Amino acid sequence: MSQLTFGHIDPSDLSLFTDRYELTMMEGYYESGHTQRATFSVYFRRLPADRGYALASGLEQVIAAVEAIEFDADAIAFLADQGFGDDFLSFLESFEFTGEIRALPEGTPVFPNEPLLEVTAPLPEAQLLETLVLNQVGYQTLVATKAARMADVVRRHGDGQDLVDFGSRRAHGADAGLKAARAAYVGGFDGTSNVLAGERFGLPTYGTMAHSWVQSFESERASFEAFADVCGDDAVYLIDTYDTVDGAERAVAVTDDRDVRLGGVRLDSGDLVELSKAVHEIVGDADIVVSSGVDEYFLRDFFDDDGVASAFGPGTALTTSKDAPDSGVVYKLTAVERDETFEPSMKLSPGKVTYPGRKELYRVERDGSYAHDVLGRHDESLAGEPQLETIYEDGSLVYDPPSLSSIRDRTQREVERLPERCRRVREPEPYEVRISDGLETLRRETERDIREREG
Amino acid sequence: MSQLTFGHIDPSDLSLFTDRYELTMMEGYYESGHTQRATFSVYFRRLPADRGYALASGLEQVIAAVEAIEFDADAIAFLADQGFGDDFLSFLESFEFTGEIRALPEGTPVFPNEPLLEVTAPLPEAQLLETLVLNQVGYQTLVATKAARMADVVRRHGDGQDLVDFGSRRAHGADAGLKAARAAYVGGFDGTSNVLAGERFGLPTYGTMAHSWVQSFESERASFEAFADVCGDDAVYLIDTYDTVDGAERAVAVTDDRDVRLGGVRLDSGDLVELSKAVHEIVGDADIVVSSGVDEYFLRDFFDDDGVASAFGPGTALTTSKDAPDSGVVYKLTAVERDETFEPSMKLSPGKVTYPGRKELYRVERDGSYAHDVLGRHDESLAGEPQLETIYEDGSLVYDPPSLSSIRDRTQREVERLPERCRRVREPEPYEVRISDGLETLRRETERDIREREG
């Protein structure tokens, strides 16, 4: 029998969740004594299509990973087998993060070129984190953004309906299922169908019945009777297995017969606006849960067309960020220490503007709304509220991660302060991010220096 | 300090990686004594856009999960807290899979309505597996399909170039990073940049250097010198940090100076066709690795335009299946046992045709190529080669999962037997899947019975 591998990831495995070139470079930095500090910045070059903002998420997982990272005996043995040298492996055996991390708190809207995260650490340490940081922050930020857009549509056009993540099955692997549930909550969702996400992150879990329940009985009526007998009051019946309107009438009849209270019905196919109205006439005050093809565009149209629902279960569109599955976040070296000062650094990319150096981000408020941001140098003092928080200092965690529910509150508060034009779900207009004079000058000088040096 | 949670998943946690409604239904089945066997089928309703076939992948993870599933004390305590009843929890404590699983071996092309997997087990057991099976098989099948299309383009239009997964950073979470590396190999890739995937699945790992290596030194030249000193012969230099053609000349000059052999250069931005030709003139026989925006469409055009490369590093497009991030695979009840026979079952969906009952899939070959498939009833005997293998029988694993390299060989053999028209990367034509007379009759009769019963 072959060795069976699910491919699970323990915290002690996170050190190897990295691209091989990170380790190749780490060995090179180590062997050539090139271990001075450098700053890496995590940012979007541009927002995914149709997004007027992105919502920072995933910082807690970065911290948990930094706390967990170690190269244990198994990892060292594997790397030896892969050809890494003994001296470097000894260095890895005592690896620990000694640097600084600054970051936007989760639930903060973020725009192109703004640092989600800045890591300043000896080159080998900062280099190691690239792959995992992008993997965790990029994905959660995508999902939190998608969720925040849906929650915002419900707040502005709906009637306080619940939003529950139903998308674990279509998420890309098990970690995505868990992290999507978390990020959806960060974005303003009320819970998830994923039981393990409930256990891991303390999220409310929800669930009703599937078509298989109905099909497994001799008739829809028999299946509803059995469900009423088992669940009693307030159960939610899936009514579209054979005919949605008949199903609604049957749910009412069976719960009447059995003398239990009808909690609600779920619609999972067909013309959901029209069916929701027809079903509402039948079920009265009972909940209507809508769960097929739900995303922010669907919700906008559903409310415009006067659909009736008390909860929505977005799935695939949420957990795959289907219209924008690629966050495009990057982790780029922006400064490197030489002779005890940080020298700005950048890649030259035709057609792309990149900003070198360590940074601060200021958000400027006017009349209770955000007017614009200013991206500046780390050592400038500018108007507006600085946004980056210090997470690690000299390798010590100095940040107390907030609870998920306070992050969720922050999201709502922050999104509601954004200008209406960038909260639109279709064709939002860009939020203004100004570049400080100091940073613009630094960019020009850095580019000029590179052209002189490399030309 | 708050509790920090990365959200890792141990094998013993897989039992909770399920939608809450699965557990609700399980409790209902258990409490109402409704625990007869049923068959669930995993299949695509339609293939993702531009796909002429999908490639089955992820079966090993299903098996590993079934072997690992248990409800340990922590899981039971959590479920008690969530309101599940004591009797049901006692049942879960001794949960084990006692059913049958049949499946297409990994590396088998699959088409709409064909079972990737059929689970026949007591209702509570089969119900539990839905979420995890879809999550694992759906994602790996997407990535293996994408990889197989790229590998097929390289075989047919290229020159035996290597394909290496560079996409962990953009994958949706850590599990996706690992499973994408595995599925890419199943599809025909040569390896991955992900070190942990190398360790877990025995995959070859590859990596060179990033822009940060170049930027961290005082000049590109100094960075290449340090790399040559550390790596010696056959290293690969990233040459597009400042100017790609200058970088190529510098890589040649530095390796000449240092008297080491130039392994190759990597291009990561710009007009990759034109740059690859220009760089080829400079670096001669050294490798050219191309790694920005690579997917099957890019490769097709790159070869048409006579680009020059020895290896490609697809990233985002591969690991997010960017043009088709949603597999759309479903897990549907197709039969349920009553009075010791399996009765066909289906949902009625306007506009969707679904096939009830347990099935067999026959693939018909003509002149060394696949001519068409026939989807039939499990108990029919039809022409062609039956495709489903028995994986579990009475709860026992009776299948010896093949090695990844033999799965990879199977992929190539099977894809090459498909008609040219469904191997095209753009606008492929559908492969013919015939429905047997027996199955078509069963579908009509089942639908008629449902309409009579429910109408």
Side-chain angles (χ1 to χ4, degrees), chain A residues 1-11 13-14 16-25 28-29 34 40 60-61 63-64 78 82 123 127 130-131 134-136 139 168-176 178-179 193-196 198-201 205-213 215-220 230 240-242 250 266 269 316 320 322 325-326 328-330 332-333 336 338 345-348 399-401 450 453-454, chain B residues 1-11 13-14 16-25 28-29 34 40 60-61 63-64 78 82 123 127 130-131 134-136 139 168-176 178-179 193-196 198-201 205-213 215-220 230 240-242 250 266 269 316 320 322 325-326 328-330 332-333 336 338 345-348 399-401 450 453-454:
Chain A
M1 190 68 65
S2 307
Q3 179 84 32
L4 277 169
T5 310
F6 181 78
H8 73 284
I9 304 176
D10 285 329
D13 296 323
L14 292 173
L16 295 187
F17 191 91
T18 195
D19 290 303
R20 182 168 175 140
Y21 77 173
E22 317 284 13
L23 290 164
T24 303
M25 288 186 282
Y29 293 137
H34 190 65
F40 287 77
E60 182 185 352
Q61 280 59 54
I63 301 171
F78 178 70
Q82 296 276 303
L123 275 160
Q127 196 72 64
E130 176 173 20
T131 313
L134 291 176
N135 173 277
Q136 292 292 310
Y139 178 59
S168 288
R169 63 189 55 196
R170 297 284 172 76
H172 290 179
D175 190 39
L178 281 195
K179 303 298 166 64
S193 63
N194 189 298
V195 180
L196 187 60
E199 195 269 346
R200 281 291 183 273
F201 299 114
T205 63
Y206 296 90
T208 57
M209 63 161 71
H211 298 115
S212 51
W213 175 273
Q215 288 174 249
S216 76
F217 287 85
E218 277 156 45
S219 65
E220 187 180 64
V230 169
D240 72 330
T241 306
Y242 304 120
R250 218 161 260 148
R266 180 160 73 93
S269 58
T316 308
T320 68
K322 191 170 172 178
D326 168 22
V329 288
V330 293
K332 291 291 176 192
L333 189 147
V336 62
R338 277 193 240 290
S345 177
M346 60 193 272
K347 175 183 185 306
L348 296 185
Y399 179 74
D400 189 5
I450 292 170
R453 189 182 74 214
E454 304 288 339
Chain B
M1 190 67 67
S2 307
Q3 180 84 32
L4 277 169
T5 311
F6 181 77
H8 73 284
I9 304 175
D10 285 329
D13 297 323
L14 292 174
L16 294 188
F17 192 91
T18 195
D19 290 304
R20 182 168 176 141
Y21 78 174
E22 316 285 12
L23 290 164
T24 303
M25 288 187 281
Y29 293 137
H34 190 65
F40 287 78
E60 182 185 352
Q61 280 59 54
I63 302 171
F78 178 71
Q82 296 276 301
L123 274 161
Q127 197 70 65
E130 175 174 19
T131 313
L134 291 177
N135 173 277
Q136 292 292 310
Y139 178 59
S168 289
R169 64 189 56 196
R170 298 283 172 78
H172 289 179
D175 190 39
L178 281 194
K179 302 297 166 64
S193 63
N194 189 298
V195 180
L196 187 61
E199 195 269 345
R200 281 291 182 275
F201 299 114
T205 63
Y206 295 91
T208 58
M209 64 161 74
H211 298 116
S212 51
W213 175 273
Q215 288 173 250
S216 76
F217 287 84
E218 276 157 42
S219 65
E220 186 180 66
V230 169
D240 72 328
T241 306
Y242 304 119
R250 219 161 259 148
R266 180 160 73 93
S269 58
T316 308
T320 67
K322 190 171 173 177
D326 168 22
V329 289
V330 294
K332 291 291 174 192
L333 189 146
V336 63
R338 277 192 240 289
S345 177
M346 61 194 271
K347 174 183 185 307
L348 296 186
Y399 178 75
D400 189 5
I450 292 171
R453 190 183 73 214
E454 304 288 339

Side-chain angles (χ1 to χ4, degrees), chain B residues 26-344:
Chain B
M26 286 170 75
E27 183 167 30
Y29 293 137
Y30 175 76
E31 286 203 3
S32 56
H34 190 65
T35 57
Q36 69 266 52
R37 287 186 299 169
T39 298
F40 287 78
S41 183
V42 176
Y43 61 93
F44 285 91
R45 285 194 191 284
R46 67 194 72 81
L47 293 179
D50 263 342
R51 304 293 187 271
Y53 61 92
L55 193 78
S57 184
L59 176 59
E60 182 185 352
Q61 280 59 54
V62 171
I63 302 171
V66 170
E67 295 295 299
I69 277 178
E70 56 161 345
F71 290 85
D72 63 15
D74 288 347
I76 296 292
F78 178 71
L79 294 176
D81 194 52
Q82 296 276 301
F84 290 95
D86 288 345
D87 287 353
F88 175 57
L89 295 177
S90 300
F91 162 74
L92 289 185
E93 277 180 317
S94 57
F95 182 91
E96 58 177 330
F97 183 74
T98 66
E100 176 190 280
I101 296 180
R102 300 165 69 236
L104 294 183
E106 296 191 75
T108 305
V110 60
F111 303 94
N113 296 310
E114 297 182 350
L116 277 154
L117 205 92
E118 252 193 23
V119 178
T120 299
L123 274 161
E125 297 175 28
Q127 197 70 65
L128 177 67
L129 300 180
E130 175 174 19
T131 313
L132 187 60
V133 165
L134 291 177
N135 173 277
Q136 292 292 310
V137 170
Y139 178 59
Q140 280 203 49
T141 294
L142 275 181
V143 176
T145 304
K146 192 90 180 157
R149 284 158 56 82
M150 292 191 224
D152 201 32
V153 170
V154 166
R155 276 196 306 271
R156 298 204 295 162
H157 305 282
D159 197 24
Q161 284 90 349
D162 283 343
L163 286 164
V164 179
D165 154 39
F166 277 6
S168 289
R169 64 189 56 196
R170 298 283 172 78
H172 289 179
D175 190 39
L178 281 194
K179 302 297 166 64
R182 180 185 187 279
Y185 194 79
V186 163
F189 271 44
D190 299 278
T192 178
S193 63
N194 189 298
V195 180
L196 187 61
E199 195 269 345
R200 281 291 182 275
F201 299 114
L203 302 173
T205 63
Y206 295 91
T208 58
M209 64 161 74
H211 298 116
S212 51
W213 175 273
V214 177
Q215 288 173 250
S216 76
F217 287 84
E218 276 157 42
S219 65
E220 186 180 66
R221 185 176 181 99
S223 80
F224 285 3
E225 287 169 349
F227 206 63
D229 291 344
V230 169
C231 298
D233 283 336
D234 298 325
V236 175
Y237 295 76
L238 177 61
I239 57 174
D240 72 328
T241 306
Y242 304 119
D243 179 276
T244 303
V245 172
D246 290 352
E249 284 166 352
R250 219 161 259 148
V252 170
V254 165
T255 48
D256 272 359
D257 271 9
R258 293 304 215 243
D259 202 22
V260 296
R261 200 165 50 233
L262 175 63
V265 294
R266 180 160 73 93
L267 314 186
D268 193 46
S269 58
D271 180 336
L272 295 164
V273 169
E274 292 311 314
L275 288 172
S276 76
K277 292 176 188 171
V279 162
H280 178 59
E281 295 296 312
I282 298 165
V283 303
D285 287 343
D287 286 342
I288 297 176
V289 182
V290 170
S291 61
S292 175
V294 180
D295 62 14
E296 62 272 45
Y297 312 107
F298 169 92
L299 289 168
R300 193 74 184 75
D301 295 341
F302 187 86
F303 294 130
D304 273 358
D305 296 341
D306 300 315
V308 186
S310 26
F312 297 97
T316 308
L318 173 75
T319 60
T320 67
S321 189
K322 190 171 173 177
D323 64 329
D326 168 22
S327 71
V329 289
V330 294
Y331 185 99
K332 291 291 174 192
L333 189 146
T334 59
V336 63
E337 202 175 21
R338 277 192 240 289
D339 306 327
E340 294 181 23
T341 63
F342 277 88
E343 216 172 80

